[in-house]
Amino acid sequence: RLGAVREALGASQEESSARRTQWAQDAQEAKTKLEGLRDQYHELHEQRDRIEATGADGACPTCARPLGSEFDAVLGMLSRQMEAVKQNGSFYRQRVDQLKELPPELGVLDARLEELQAEVQQLSGLQARLAAERREAERWAQQDRELGVRLAKVEHDLAALPGAHYDEARHRFLQGELAAIEPLVLE
């Protein structure tokens, strides 16, 4: 069970790490795009301001010739580009705000990781306790074997003694004899 839970924990950690990395990459990408769009908007704004300041006699930003009759068209194009950049910037600003919060699935994965880590800790403790109990049981079994060998040796030594056989009938007879002469001993 411990091995299975450790395996599940490893898989969950990998999945959490992959999703967390993806979330961080998405957040960084959104921030980078937003910064790029801000820079682009400022460039377009500066370019439009320069063209407005110089008027129809100013130079075209692309070909450097006087704008002349194209003045209003160039200003319109720059305004449209600025509006498109502004809309994209609004989207990426919302995206950055969305990605500031931890995604719900990462919260669920983190909770699952905590559960699995607690279970691994519990099972590891159980495993350690069972290992200690097994060592204790092995020690008792070894002691039982050693005592069995000693008992067999003592029984063997007793059997080798002359008259070492226990005779229960004789024992009862002698107890009766002792009981009969006990008053004499007291007297």
Side-chain angles (χ1 to χ4, degrees):
R1 174 86 179 125
L2 179 59
V5 172
R6 280 185 175 152
E7 189 175 311
L9 176 62
S12 291
Q13 286 172 329
E14 286 178 19
E15 182 180 359
S16 175
S17 177
R19 290 209 181 171
R20 194 171 299 278
T21 300
Q22 183 62 47
W23 169 62
Q25 287 174 345
D26 289 349
Q28 185 58 47
E29 182 180 326
K31 285 178 188 174
T32 303
K33 290 219 183 205
L34 180 59
E35 289 170 8
L37 289 169
R38 282 181 181 152
D39 292 344
Q40 186 179 0
Y41 183 82
H42 290 300
E43 287 174 19
L44 289 171
H45 194 275
E46 287 175 6
Q47 195 174 22
R48 190 183 74 180
D49 287 349
R50 271 195 318 271
I51 289 173
E52 281 180 336
T54 58
D57 294 332
C60 173
T62 349
C63 64
R65 291 185 295 184
L67 288 171
S69 63
E70 296 294 318
F71 176 76
D72 290 329
V74 169
L75 281 181
M77 178 192 71
L78 288 174
S79 294
R80 284 189 303 279
Q81 286 178 344
M82 285 173 61
E83 188 57 36
V85 167
K86 193 175 183 178
Q87 287 176 353
N88 285 341
S90 178
F91 168 78
Y92 279 104
R93 192 175 310 105
Q94 289 174 349
R95 185 74 175 134
V96 165
D97 289 342
Q98 279 178 336
L99 293 171
K100 282 181 182 176
E101 300 276 332
L102 188 69
E105 67 267 7
L106 277 177
V108 169
L109 281 172
D110 287 347
R112 178 71 177 137
L113 281 174
E114 287 178 20
E115 289 173 8
L116 288 171
Q117 287 169 339
E119 191 172 355
V120 163
Q121 193 172 23
Q122 177 189 10
L123 290 173
S124 293
L126 177 62
Q127 182 184 35
R129 192 183 87 233
L130 290 174
E133 288 176 1
R134 185 184 70 236
R135 285 189 302 273
E136 183 71 10
E138 289 171 355
R139 187 178 66 79
W140 284 110
Q142 177 63 29
Q143 189 174 5
D144 183 54
R145 286 189 296 275
E146 289 171 2
L147 289 174
V149 168
R150 281 182 56 197
L151 177 63
K153 184 177 181 327
V154 167
E155 287 175 344
H156 178 267
D157 290 347
L158 278 176
L161 292 176
H165 297 286
Y166 178 70
D167 185 352
E168 188 177 343
R170 175 91 173 130
H171 186 182
R172 269 190 250 121
F173 170 77
L174 289 176
Q175 281 180 330
E177 289 289 313
L178 280 175
I181 65 167
E182 192 170 332
L184 292 176
V185 170
L186 286 176
E187 193 177 301

